[in-house]
Amino acid sequence: MREPQAKAVHLKDYTPPAFRVDTVELDVDIREDHALVRARLEIRRNAPGPLVLDGDELELVSVLVNGKPADHTVAEETLTIPEVPDAFVLETVTRIVPQKNTKLEGLYATKHGFVTQCEAQGFRRITWFIDRPDVMARYTTTVRADAKKYPVLLSNGNLKNSGSEAGGRHFATYEDPFPKPSYLFALVAANLEVLREDNLYIYVEPGKLDQAGWAMDCLKRAIAWDEKRFGLKLDLKEYKIVAVGDFNSGAMENKGLNIFNTRYVLARADTATDVDYLNIDRVVAHEYFHNWTGNRVTCRDWFQLSLKEGLTVFRDQEYGADTYSRAVTRIQEVRNLRAAQFAEDAGPMAHPVRPQSYVEIRNFYTLTVYEKGAEVVRMQHTLLGEDKFQAGMRLYFRRHDGQAVTCDDFVQAMQDASGIDLAQFRRWYDVAGTPVLDVQGSFSGSTFTLTVKQSMNPPFHIPFCVKVGSQERLLSVKRPEEKYTFEGLKEKPVPSLLRGFSAPVILKYPYTEAELLHLMANDDDDVNRWEAGQRLAAEAILDKAGKPSPAFIEAARRLLAHPDAAFAAEALALPAESFLAEQTEVVDPDRLHESRNALRRNLALSLRNDFSGIYEKLRGKGAYSPDAASAGRRALRNLSLGYLGELGMSALAYEQFKSADNMTDSMAALGVLANLDCPERQPALEAFYARWKDEPLVVDKWLAVQASSRLPGTLARVRELLVHPAFDIRVPNKVYALIRAFGANHVRFHAATGEGYSFLADQAIALDALNPQVAARMARSFDRWKKFDDGRKARARAQLERVRDTKSLSKDVMEIVTKSLA
């Protein structure tokens, strides 16, 4: 008999908090096997009723109201005090055990000390509190710990006092001048080294200081960019980043004290790839930009999560576009959105940018909230233009600085500042699914007519950027069907549609191969040039068993000579199997895999001399640099190596592996070898681990490259790696590198035998007992199981039911598997 399911929380049921908290004084005393947390809260009534505080795995020692013991009731997740005055001081003492906190939420132990993660609901694992984002208070925090073991003591705000205590202990008191919700609280007590430049600090684990310089450069660039582009200045005396190896997510924007996963801070040419360098730049920028869009103005409730995340992703995307290549940055964003978020929109976890309900909010830190949310902000930028959008941002901050608000408040600021009616546009926030634009073109005389039908009912307001001949226009699609005419044309045009990917929609237009080749060669919108090539590649894979036309091969040859190597590398990268699977009714992963590989082999055969020439021409000279131009050249050279690998040129890859002076080239070569059944494969893998076994982030790459291999024995190897010294199921980065990477290995995870499904279910169950948040992320590997054949569907369903029926399953995993099975 299954346990009763947790109840869903609904947006329609939102009510303001019954009490407000004005000030919080915390004293966190970290001991050998526990911590004592003393909290003093100044509280005032906002509505009738008892005081109900949230808690999770807390041991209450004492509770006082205005200095006197108070009648109270403690339940599993609440502390209720039935009778309180309208304004009072609440004092509690609570015992917690961060040393045994494997969920990595609240206060928990890492290898070198203790850190916190409070978003979304981790603060209730530290002390009893009204743990919701619309309760904002000013915090003063004292941290106490052993001075030798944990010399660094940090919290939000400015250092107010510090000193020594008896028994070799010490303390530090911080005062945060800004009111904040509890999810932005942060605390650190650890043995760390620090890189400091003026008022900026980056703390890293001992021995890693030489890998912190790039993150510092990124932080300084982000601060300068935000002031220049948005007029937003750093508002703190000090800004700190702390990087730790045990962290469920990428990073957390706690006010003035960001906690980061080490993978988004540490970088050195021999340990980090170009992609790592770029990701660090973007994530450091993202968390800094939250200082205003998320911290100074925060979300009223968790349904409004995209208010801060979607807006801040848009801002970090614009930072990336201004810092690197705007075209390549946009192509990468669109590729990821279509491969993953569109699938989410079509799957069991489909939800609006502003969800209407949830069982466990941690499950809604999704691509829809982040990436589609960013597209919703981008569409407003497109409709308004830069100047009016910036006027909307300024009005948003004037109205709401220091407040917890909603997505509607943001859109209203944009509308009021611009004078543009966004009432219909708001449907993007509250309706799930990816709109489809079915477009037809007709040419008569000198007039070209576009007929645009949209799938959404009631219809969305969709910004549709097009160019017909020399006429470029921004069309606002607002009705189920619209017609647009373009006059004065001398011949039938090839329309360039959805330029810059102006809206997150599926575009259907009956382009011929000749028209796509024309766009691929001539369109002045690089996103559409890339898209034309992707459509041609997809057609060759799905309809022609991987056999490209001579014209497509010639178009690919011309792309190799493109002056922007980064663009050429993106244009010649084939669509992912997961994206291609979404284009089919019933997925045959083996056939899809073979057809995609056939196209790779056919391109490699036809362009062998071209790829060889590019490979030699772009051979690196001089010291490694992560700048965009150098990274682009490495990307194209290593893409050429990948194609040459399809011809069995393993010796070339092995030679690059042995001689590489940077991690980008080393991993590119190892990735080629990991996918080939060749004599160099095992020696390369063994040599890589022997060299890097003491660098956890590099070992993660080693795990991932094996879990992602297309070779038939991949699952057997992954099972071996589960008991390898390199793997630890308690460390999220290891789980993501090995288990999640295998779950993303389309052909091997979806093996006809169902062994991939069984393996993933085993891991989800094991993880759920340790870290439900990470377990839920693993369970999402099953999201698209209903698109496969009956045999695979039966095997996937059996494993999902096995996970669902596991005793004491967390809310996190239960919500995922229940929705998947529905």
Side-chain angles (χ1 to χ4, degrees):
M1 181 175 177
R2 294 199 303 274
E3 297 175 12
Q5 293 187 28
K7 293 182 180 179
V9 182
H10 294 270
L11 172 59
K12 63 182 176 62
D13 296 332
Y14 171 83
T15 57
F19 293 87
R20 302 285 186 184
V21 181
D22 292 320
T23 65
V24 177
E25 294 180 21
L26 282 183
D27 186 302
V28 182
D29 189 355
I30 299 173
R31 297 287 175 170
E32 190 68 29
D33 59 357
H34 70 281
L36 282 180
V37 181
R38 293 174 172 83
R40 183 183 186 277
L41 316 179
E42 292 185 356
I43 302 177
R44 54 189 166 85
R45 184 181 296 280
N46 195 46
L51 175 66
V52 181
L53 302 170
D54 301 301
D56 183 12
E57 297 185 1
L58 303 179
E59 180 188 341
L60 181 65
V61 177
S62 64
V63 55
L64 304 175
V65 172
N66 289 334
K68 297 180 180 178
D71 291 337
H72 62 276
T73 302
V74 177
E76 185 177 2
E77 295 183 346
T78 57
L79 166 61
T80 302
I81 304 175
E83 300 292 337
V84 293
D86 289 344
F88 58 97
V89 173
L90 174 72
E91 296 173 274
T92 60
V93 178
T94 304
R95 181 179 287 108
I96 58 176
V97 187
Q99 295 85 350
K100 296 182 179 180
N101 182 359
T102 63
K103 294 181 179 179
L104 310 190
E105 291 181 288
L107 179 65
Y108 65 91
T110 68
K111 184 177 180 181
H112 297 284
F114 297 86
V115 300
T116 56
Q117 169 55 20
C118 292
E119 188 177 1
Q121 296 176 333
F123 192 73
R124 65 187 63 187
R125 295 177 59 79
I126 298 173
T127 190
W128 303 95
F129 198 73
I130 308 171
D131 190 14
R132 45 188 287 174
D134 55 355
V135 174
M136 302 176 71
R138 284 186 166 83
Y139 284 67
T140 301
T141 304
T142 298
V143 191
R144 306 177 193 276
D146 184 283
K148 186 175 181 180
K149 291 181 179 178
Y150 315 115
V152 174
L153 304 179
L154 304 171
S155 192
N156 311 82
N158 304 313
L159 182 63
K160 183 179 179 182
N161 194 15
S162 63
S164 301
E165 295 183 326
R169 297 171 59 77
H170 67 146
F171 76 94
T173 300
Y174 288 84
E175 188 174 67
D176 191 343
F178 296 96
K180 64 175 179 282
S182 53
Y183 82 86
L184 290 173
F185 173 79
L187 178 153
V188 174
N191 178 24
L192 302 169
E193 296 177 354
V194 63
L195 173 63
R196 177 183 179 181
E197 293 193 17
D198 298 322
N199 62 334
L200 307 178
Y201 300 75
I202 296 182
Y203 292 86
V204 296
E205 295 168 341
K208 303 299 183 185
L209 206 56
D210 64 334
Q211 299 183 45
W214 174 250
M216 179 63 80
D217 292 343
C218 297
L219 179 57
K220 291 188 292 186
R221 271 198 305 276
I223 292 170
W225 180 87
D226 208 20
E227 184 170 351
K228 180 180 179 181
R229 177 78 185 269
F230 281 85
L232 300 174
K233 297 181 179 181
L234 177 60
D235 60 356
L236 300 160
K237 292 181 180 179
E238 296 180 344
Y239 192 90
K240 305 180 182 72
I241 290 174
V242 174
V244 296
D246 301 333
F247 202 71
N248 282 340
S249 303
M252 178 60 210
E253 71 268 18
N254 318 294
K255 182 70 176 176
L257 180 57
N258 295 176
I259 311 294
F260 270 65
N261 191 315
T262 50
R263 66 183 297 194
Y264 293 114
V265 169
L266 302 181
R268 201 175 60 207
D270 61 333
T271 62
T273 65
D274 291 334
V275 172
D276 293 327
Y277 273 91
L278 178 62
N279 287 342
I280 290 168
D281 200 1
R282 291 285 292 273
V283 173
V284 167
H286 180 96
E287 304 308 331
Y288 172 74
F289 298 153
H290 265 311
N291 190 52
W292 282 90
T293 51
N295 296 2
R296 288 287 289 260
V297 183
T298 194
C299 47
R300 184 196 71 179
D301 53 71
W302 291 119
F303 299 101
Q304 318 297 330
L305 181 58
S306 197
L307 174 82
K308 70 184 187 75
E309 295 300 348
L311 176 55
T312 304
V313 169
F314 168 76
R315 278 161 38 77
D316 87 53
Q317 289 177 348
E318 284 296 289
Y319 166 79
D322 285 346
T323 305
Y324 301 94
S325 161
R326 180 166 288 272
V328 171
T329 298
R330 187 64 181 146
I331 288 167
Q332 292 168 344
E333 292 159 4
V334 175
R335 184 192 294 279
N336 294 335
L337 186 82
R338 297 198 313 181
Q341 193 281 319
F342 279 19
E344 183 170 271
D345 254 350
M349 277 295 289
H351 59 277
V353 170
R354 175 165 50 191
Q356 303 301 299
S357 67
Y358 62 80
V359 172
E360 175 49 67
I361 184 55
R362 292 175 299 198
N363 286 333
F364 285 83
Y365 283 72
T366 60
L367 291 162
T368 298
V369 165
Y370 280 68
E371 311 305 327
K372 187 175 181 179
E375 294 298 313
V376 173
V377 174
R378 181 174 297 280
M379 286 187 287
Q380 293 174 72
H381 183 273
T382 299
L383 290 168
L384 273 62
E386 172 72 4
D387 290 344
K388 289 182 178 179
F389 182 85
Q390 291 292 356
M393 290 292 292
R394 291 191 293 272
L395 179 59
Y396 175 66
F397 290 121
R398 283 200 303 272
R399 285 179 174 174
H400 302 299
D401 190 11
Q403 297 178 14
V405 300
T406 68
C407 297
D408 290 322
D409 293 315
F410 176 78
V411 179
Q412 193 64 47
M414 289 293 152
Q415 178 170 302
D416 292 346
S418 67
I420 295 175
D421 183 1
L422 296 174
Q424 184 177 346
F425 181 86
R426 295 173 193 240
R427 290 174 186 159
W428 280 100
Y429 282 98
D430 294 320
V431 180
T434 304
V436 177
L437 289 185
D438 196 330
V439 184
Q440 298 289 327
S442 62
F443 184 63
S444 178
S446 61
T447 301
F448 185 77
T449 302
L450 277 179
T451 302
V452 183
K453 297 179 181 179
Q454 65 162 296
S455 62
M456 306 309 283
N457 186 23
F460 280 16
H461 180 180
I462 301 173
F464 187 42
C465 293
V466 305
K467 188 174 184 180
V468 176
S470 61
Q471 302 174 44
E472 187 166 4
R473 286 160 59 180
L474 170 60
L475 309 177
S476 280
V477 180
K478 292 185 174 182
R479 294 181 294 182
E481 180 174 330
E482 305 262 20
K483 289 184 182 292
Y484 305 95
T485 59
F486 299 81
E487 309 282 352
L489 300 168
K490 296 180 180 179
E491 58 184 0
K492 182 181 179 181
V494 179
S496 174
L497 305 175
L498 199 68
R499 290 166 65 81
F501 202 70
S502 59
V505 301
I506 296 171
L507 174 67
K508 293 184 176 180
Y509 184 85
Y511 285 116
T512 65
E513 182 183 41
E515 288 174 328
L516 290 172
L517 288 166
H518 174 82
L519 292 172
M520 191 175 173
N522 301 301
D523 201 325
D524 59 359
D525 181 84
D526 281 338
V527 176
N528 275 6
R529 289 191 68 187
W530 167 81
E531 165 62 6
Q534 294 291 290
R535 286 186 65 158
L536 288 167
E539 288 174 7
I541 294 167
L542 296 174
D543 302 331
K544 302 174 184 177
K547 297 177 182 178
S549 68
F552 179 68
I553 291 171
E554 286 308 308
R557 176 176 281 116
R558 288 194 298 273
L559 278 174
L560 277 171
H562 194 281
D564 185 344
F567 173 78
E570 289 292 339
L572 289 166
L574 301 184
E577 288 173 32
S578 58
F579 171 76
L580 294 165
E582 292 299 315
Q583 317 309 309
T584 62
E585 290 296 322
V586 178
V587 183
D588 182 339
D590 296 316
R591 181 175 176 274
L592 178 60
H593 182 69
E594 178 50 40
S595 185
R596 185 176 183 274
N597 286 343
L599 179 56
R600 284 180 57 83
R601 287 192 297 273
N602 285 324
L603 284 172
L605 282 167
S606 299
L607 301 174
R608 177 172 183 160
N609 292 337
D610 302 87
F611 284 126
S612 295
I614 287 290
Y615 184 78
E616 290 303 319
K617 177 183 176 182
L618 298 181
R619 188 179 295 276
K621 297 177 182 178
Y624 172 88
S625 171
D627 68 273
S630 299
R633 289 191 292 270
R634 280 188 293 272
L636 185 56
R637 185 172 190 261
N638 286 321
L639 176 128
S640 299
L641 177 66
Y643 275 105
L644 293 170
E646 298 295 339
L647 305 179
M649 297 176 67
S650 57
L652 182 65
Y654 192 51
E655 179 57 36
Q656 175 170 312
F657 172 78
K658 291 189 297 182
S659 62
D661 63 356
N662 63 81
M663 185 54 68
T664 302
D665 289 343
S666 180
M667 278 304 303
L670 189 63
V672 171
L673 295 171
N675 279 312
L676 297 176
D677 185 7
C678 62
E680 298 91 347
R681 182 178 187 273
Q682 196 58 34
L685 287 168
E686 291 174 358
F688 189 89
Y689 180 72
R691 180 178 179 185
W692 296 114
K693 61 183 179 180
D694 295 325
E695 285 283 352
L697 292 178
V698 182
V699 171
D700 292 345
K701 301 179 192 303
W702 181 77
L703 293 171
V705 78
Q706 295 176 84
S708 303
S709 173
R710 68 192 188 191
L711 295 179
T714 294
L715 178 55
R717 177 55 179 160
V718 170
R719 291 187 185 279
E720 292 174 359
L721 290 169
L722 285 178
V723 294
H724 192 281
F727 182 76
D728 185 343
I729 197 171
R730 297 168 298 179
V731 179
N733 282 354
K734 304 300 178 189
V735 175
Y736 301 150
L738 186 64
I739 299 171
R740 186 163 66 179
F742 177 76
N745 187 333
H746 198 262
V747 68
R748 298 304 160 212
F749 174 60
H750 294 291
T753 61
E755 58 184 349
Y757 302 147
S758 176
F759 169 80
L760 214 296
D762 287 343
Q763 306 315 309
I765 291 168
L767 279 161
D768 191 59
L770 298 169
N771 191 328
Q773 184 176 346
V774 174
R777 292 175 182 176
M778 298 307 102
R780 292 209 54 190
S781 298
F782 286 96
D783 271 9
R784 301 302 282 144
W785 67 276
K786 291 182 181 179
K787 281 188 69 71
F788 293 81
D789 58 85
D790 289 343
R792 285 180 171 87
K793 284 195 290 189
R795 293 176 178 88
R797 175 180 287 279
Q799 295 306 318
L800 283 165
E801 290 174 343
R802 181 164 69 90
V803 175
R804 180 198 62 192
D805 295 341
T806 300
K807 186 178 180 181
S808 301
L809 195 67
S810 69
K811 290 191 300 181
D812 308 60
V813 176
M814 180 61 79
E815 181 174 27
I816 297 297
V817 298
T818 301
K819 287 185 173 181
S820 192
L821 286 166

